[in-house]
Amino acid sequence: MSLVERLNQDMKQAMRNKEKEKLTVIRMVKASLQNEAIKLGRGELSEEEELTVLSREVKQRKDSLHEFQEAGREDLVEKLNREIEILQAYMPKQLSEEELEQVVQETIAEVGASSKKDMGKVMSAIMPKVKGKADGSQVNKLVLKHLS
């Protein structure tokens, strides 16, 4: 089942259950997916493109979450945490710390990286492998740790 089909089913269920917050988040994601499809000039997005849009939505909320925490807006922090939780249900299973560590080590070996100068090569090789399964900043920290 595609992401859009799953979103449609969940949207209907959220309407039936009167879950306003979940319904709002699902509508926002659907709108983002439609906007991306229009931008690319296609009727449907590939799975990878859908994942990119979904990741962008999660990242935007995490960035906002950080800002709201610094500003002391606990009401908005709670709301964003719930939205992130709803969005995470549509993301692929996240890699564990050990799995991510292994992918980083394998990629460093593949690329033949030895110093921080090779950081760009390693990151460009590793990000497609972990797309949607790991946070970019987490990957960045691990790569830096291994190249130091």
Side-chain angles (χ1 to χ4, degrees), residues 69-142:
Q69 285 171 333
E70 285 181 1
R73 295 290 310 266
E74 289 306 311
D75 54 330
L76 295 173
V77 168
E78 271 182 48
K79 181 180 182 283
L80 279 175
N81 274 327
R82 288 192 301 270
E83 286 183 12
I84 290 169
E85 198 175 296
I86 292 167
L87 289 172
Q88 292 291 353
Y90 300 101
M91 296 290 286
K93 183 182 167 287
Q94 298 293 297
L95 293 173
S96 69
E97 188 76 30
E98 296 80 35
E99 291 170 323
L100 187 56
E101 186 97 26
Q102 185 177 357
V103 172
V104 168
Q105 288 172 346
E106 288 170 2
T107 306
I108 288 173
E110 281 173 25
V111 174
S114 57
S115 69
K116 286 184 182 179
K117 284 190 254 175
D118 301 321
M119 180 83 176
K121 268 197 285 185
V122 175
M123 289 301 288
S124 62
I126 203 169
M127 287 314 287
K129 294 180 185 178
V130 297
K131 186 172 193 111
K133 298 178 191 169
D135 184 43
S137 61
Q138 186 182 13
V139 173
N140 194 353
K141 286 176 192 168
L142 280 174

Side-chain angles (χ1 to χ4, degrees), residues 14-75:
M15 284 180 195
R16 285 187 203 109
N17 297 343
K18 299 189 182 348
E19 298 171 293
K20 286 184 179 180
E21 194 168 42
K22 186 173 185 178
L23 185 60
T24 302
V25 172
I26 291 172
R27 283 181 172 154
M28 280 192 282
V29 171
K30 282 188 64 177
S32 293
L33 289 167
Q34 286 174 332
N35 288 339
E36 187 71 16
I38 290 168
K39 187 175 123 187
L40 295 174
R42 286 193 248 133
E44 284 186 27
L45 297 174
S46 69
E47 244 181 84
E48 189 176 316
E49 291 165 336
E50 289 175 343
L51 188 58
T52 301
V53 172
L54 207 52
S55 297
R56 187 182 322 134
E57 290 292 318
V58 171
K59 186 179 184 322
Q60 285 174 350
R61 282 167 178 77
K62 284 183 178 179
D63 292 345
S64 297
L65 184 70
H66 180 70
E67 295 295 320
F68 290 146
Q69 285 171 333
E70 285 181 1
R73 295 290 310 266
E74 289 306 311
D75 54 330

